[in-house]
Amino acid sequence: MSGRRDLAGRGGVTAPAGVLVVGASAAGLATVEALRRGGYPGAVTVLGAEPHLPYDRPPLSKQVLSGAWQPDRALLRPRDVLAALDAEFVLGDPAVGMDAPARSVRTASGRTLRADTIVVATGTSPRTLPGQAGLAGVHVLRTLDDALALRAGLLRCARLVVVGDGVLGAEVAATARTMGLDVTLAGPQRAPMASQLGRPVAHRLAELHTERGVRLRMGTGVRGLTGARGTVTGVSLDTGEVLPADLVVVAIGGDPVTGWLHDSGLPVDNGLVCDSRCRAADGIYAVGDVARWHHDQLGTLLRLENRTNATEQAVAVAADILGGDRPYTPVPYFWTDQFGTRIQVYGVLPADAEVTVVDGDPETGRFVARYRRDGEVTGVLGWNMPKQARMRRQEVADALAASDSASAAH
Amino acid sequence: MKVTVDEAMCCGAGQCVLLAPDVFDQRDEDGVVVLLDAAPPEPLHAVVREAASVCPAAAISLGEGA
């Protein structure tokens, strides 16, 4: 692998590569692995914006942030396994433009990489608050370097405010609180992750955080940051209240990394827009967080920032490149671990869904809940029952397939 | 093919069980992977390779001519 890294000389144009994967994280790596498993014999190049070999992101807000894992443990594959893929990894060189008809990608260092097939796997980048860039002590969390910088901050600071009440904000709050910091979590929802978990379970998650000492400031937007001498001093809320802080994490979601495609002519609208085969144009695909594809069973464009979607979508795209022709219709899935509680979610859990406990008992801290809307199953949630939740995944898959045939009949 | 799993890395997603139920299971109490067959027969190799690749915690490793 390393021996081939310099083949794409700076400023030069490489010999045509069979497949160019733009993005060296989970989705990009899984695409390469699925191509090779499927017998793809051609050249494969992986272009990564970061200098690191492919690493995993879910541990960044948990084991890497807490220090339970050394950073190397987040690497997705050992070097020898990567080398066996016979792919050229061009790392630390972000893509800055694409010529879609010519299927070539320009990079920040001046390389031009050409391929028969391009797979866009550039992920998302964190949103920030106005004024954030000029203030020390304010962090986002997306990359390994972000996680290490935030960890250094957690080790020398005492009072953390997390802005954002989604999965990432809730996980960072839990990890930092477990490390002993004074933690406040602020966000506009009535409870953390309310839009992902539905109200009853989000309320339960709020109780878990409160029991463990996290202060919740829910139901309020954030107006901005306060600072003195270039360092953050707090977070000001829409209510006028200022939450004092010597460290702030901004976890208010991410935007798909598509700026480099702006003059490519490809359809960009909250992600790279694709058909049901995850194809944006002839020979150009998207996978992972950046891909907004048509989910035929749900009958809508969908973009999922879920870890398992990155790999499942990669498998689907590789199959299409190898000549398969099937729509990508996954059952959405994510998990989160907070304060030792493992939550698994299959499908979607609308706020207005009817929630029924179908296994375990909330009183004992372990249960599985089924979510229905208009009589149809939309999702299943496990609270400290990962296996039992997974065993009900098929109920969600069946409901998705049924809605597909119902819409096909119309 | 020799399959190994790292229980400490497993996140309990159960993707491996969905793909290869003859090779992987999950513990009832916490969902952590249980390896049923560390040397699966040849017809299962392709699906075990896929399971190792799509494992969202990179907790499955393959050795010996995998």
Side-chain angles (χ1 to χ4, degrees):
Chain A
M1 170 189 62
S2 55
R4 299 183 59 180
R5 195 176 291 178
D6 293 329
L7 285 180
R10 282 166 198 267
V13 179
T14 52
V19 177
L20 169 63
V21 180
V22 186
S25 193
L29 174 65
T31 305
V32 178
E33 290 187 337
L35 282 168
R36 292 303 190 211
R37 271 201 316 280
Y40 183 74
V44 176
T45 303
V46 180
L47 177 66
E50 298 174 58
H52 307 293
L53 290 170
Y55 62 86
D56 208 8
R57 298 192 196 280
L60 298 184
S61 53
K62 300 183 278 284
Q63 296 93 334
V64 173
L65 195 56
S66 73
W69 290 9
Q70 290 300 306
D72 272 5
R73 197 158 180 208
L75 289 176
L76 280 164
R77 301 288 179 264
R79 285 173 182 272
D80 60 323
V81 173
L82 284 182
L85 288 172
D86 191 26
E88 180 185 3
F89 284 78
V90 179
L91 301 174
D93 195 5
V96 295
M98 184 198 287
D99 181 336
R103 301 215 190 109
S104 68
V105 169
R106 298 185 308 283
T107 73
S109 78
R111 290 183 174 98
T112 299
L113 302 170
R114 217 204 70 72
D116 306 315
T117 304
I118 295 176
V119 179
V120 175
T122 43
T124 63
S125 68
R127 293 191 197 111
T128 55
L129 291 172
Q132 177 173 339
L135 276 182
V138 187
H139 293 256
V140 294
L141 178 47
R142 170 74 185 176
T143 67
L144 180 57
D145 295 346
D146 291 341
L148 297 178
L150 175 56
R151 172 164 170 75
L154 292 172
L155 291 176
R156 67 169 176 261
C157 294
R159 199 152 49 176
L160 169 70
V161 173
V162 178
V163 178
D165 52 16
V167 184
L168 183 63
E171 287 186 353
V172 169
T175 301
R177 182 67 200 128
T178 304
M179 293 170 71
L181 277 84
D182 177 302
V183 179
T184 303
L185 176 67
Q189 304 185 90
R190 288 162 68 171
M193 297 183 62
S195 63
Q196 289 109 335
L197 301 179
R199 281 193 203 113
V201 176
H203 180 69
R204 193 180 179 86
L205 184 65
E207 286 179 345
L208 176 64
H209 276 257
T210 304
E211 281 165 14
R212 300 301 178 98
V214 174
R215 267 192 295 277
L216 299 178
R217 283 285 184 281
M218 308 308 302
T220 173
V222 166
R223 187 179 294 165
L225 302 162
T226 61
R229 291 183 297 281
T231 299
V232 74
T233 56
V235 172
S236 75
L237 305 178
D238 282 344
T239 57
E241 185 184 4
V242 174
L243 305 173
D246 55 3
L247 190 69
V248 172
V249 173
V250 177
I252 53 175
D255 294 315
V257 177
T258 53
W260 65 286
L261 296 170
H262 78 276
D263 62 355
S264 68
L266 295 173
V268 169
D269 177 13
N270 180 28
L272 181 52
V273 178
C274 298
D275 65 13
S276 62
R277 273 65 177 167
C278 311
R279 243 182 343 225
D282 241 14
I284 299 175
Y285 296 81
V287 292
D289 294 2
V290 74
R292 186 160 176 245
W293 90 103
H294 192 270
H295 192 304
D296 278 357
Q297 291 178 345
L298 291 168
T300 183
L301 286 170
L302 192 63
R303 192 171 67 76
L304 292 177
E305 296 182 13
N306 296 339
R307 177 61 179 80
T308 52
N309 178 63
T311 40
E312 284 184 72
Q313 195 162 27
V315 169
V317 162
D320 205 82
I321 293 171
L322 292 168
D325 182 25
R326 294 179 57 187
Y328 175 55
T329 55
V331 174
Y333 166 77
F334 74 90
W335 84 93
T336 179
D337 299 336
Q338 297 173 34
F339 294 117
T341 289
R342 294 192 143 183
I343 301 170
Q344 325 280 323
V345 174
Y346 295 91
V348 291
L349 314 181
D352 58 350
E354 176 196 338
V355 184
T356 314
V357 173
V358 290
D359 200 348
D361 181 354
E363 292 300 314
T364 66
R366 299 183 75 215
F367 64 93
V368 178
R370 182 199 286 131
Y371 290 60
R372 289 173 186 266
R373 190 167 57 180
D374 304 327
E376 302 292 335
V377 176
T378 65
V380 167
L381 173 142
W383 182 284
N384 282 328
M385 291 189 96
K387 177 179 180 177
Q388 294 78 3
R390 191 259 306 155
M391 291 170 76
R392 290 179 180 273
R393 173 189 178 277
Q394 194 58 42
E395 296 180 25
V396 184
D398 291 345
L400 274 175
S403 68
D404 186 30
S405 22
S407 59
H410 284 282
Chain B
M1 172 182 277
K2 182 169 181 289
V3 185
T4 53
V5 294
D6 186 333
E7 293 181 1
M9 295 187 79
C10 176
C11 64
Q15 300 264 303
C16 53
V17 190
L18 292 167
L19 283 163
D22 293 333
V23 180
F24 304 101
D25 195 0
Q26 288 174 277
R27 291 202 295 239
D28 288 342
E29 62 271 28
D30 60 8
V32 165
V33 61
V34 175
L35 185 59
L36 300 176
D37 187 351
E42 204 282 333
L44 292 177
H45 287 190
V47 77
V48 170
R49 276 190 207 100
E50 181 172 351
S53 177
V54 305
C55 171
I60 302 170
S61 300
L62 306 177
E64 286 175 27

